[in-house]
Amino acid sequence: MLFAVAKRILDADFGLVLAGNFSRGISETDLLVLTESHDSVLIHCRAQTDVIAARLSSHRRDRHEGHFDRDVLPDVLAAIEAGSYEPVAIGCPWLVVDTNEGYEPSRQQIVEFCR
């Protein structure tokens, strides 16, 4: 459903930010349908595994409880170990953003990259 709605938005000539846990080797097929016919960039956010584990284990107020973060932690850690969260190969410019402590590069630099 996510990709079908995204395609309709893009086909209507609107911009779109599509965020998700896209997995290398799995998500490319659906993403390529969007990126092959529209200008696209990939912003790949990463953090150290211990930082990700701490975030998923915490009781963050900014996360809706429907995310089940603590329940999925073992699967997320296994996916990290398997390389599933490396940047997806979709043939567009990409930028890696370190989110261990804030954003590196800065939010402004990310915006400039997207332009």
Side-chain angles (χ1 to χ4, degrees):
M1 180 64 76
L2 175 72
F3 295 105
V5 171
K7 182 162 179 17
R8 290 193 66 173
I9 291 169
L10 291 171
D11 288 347
D13 240 1
F14 289 98
L16 171 71
V17 173
L18 189 64
N21 286 337
F22 302 117
S23 298
R24 177 182 271 188
I26 297 173
S27 301
E28 286 90 351
T29 301
D30 291 321
L31 289 168
L32 282 168
V33 169
L34 304 176
T35 61
E36 287 179 335
S37 56
H38 300 90
D39 291 336
S40 304
V41 298
L42 171 68
I43 306 299
H44 179 80
C45 298
R46 74 167 34 140
Q48 295 172 339
T49 302
D50 60 324
V51 172
I52 294 169
R55 288 175 183 166
L56 292 176
S57 298
S58 71
H59 295 282
R60 292 174 39 203
R61 296 183 189 274
D62 64 333
R63 294 282 287 173
H64 185 275
E65 54 204 36
H67 286 284
F68 303 106
D69 290 337
R70 283 173 285 176
D71 295 335
V72 301
L73 179 57
D75 293 332
V76 169
L77 295 176
I80 291 169
E81 180 70 26
S84 297
Y85 291 137
E86 291 302 311
V88 292
I90 55 175
C92 65
W94 53 288
L95 177 69
V96 175
V97 177
D98 182 309
T99 66
N100 284 301
E101 296 179 25
Y103 298 99
E104 182 57 43
S106 70
R107 289 182 185 187
Q108 183 60 39
Q109 290 170 310
I110 297 167
V111 168
E112 290 303 318
F113 174 80
C114 291
R115 288 188 177 139

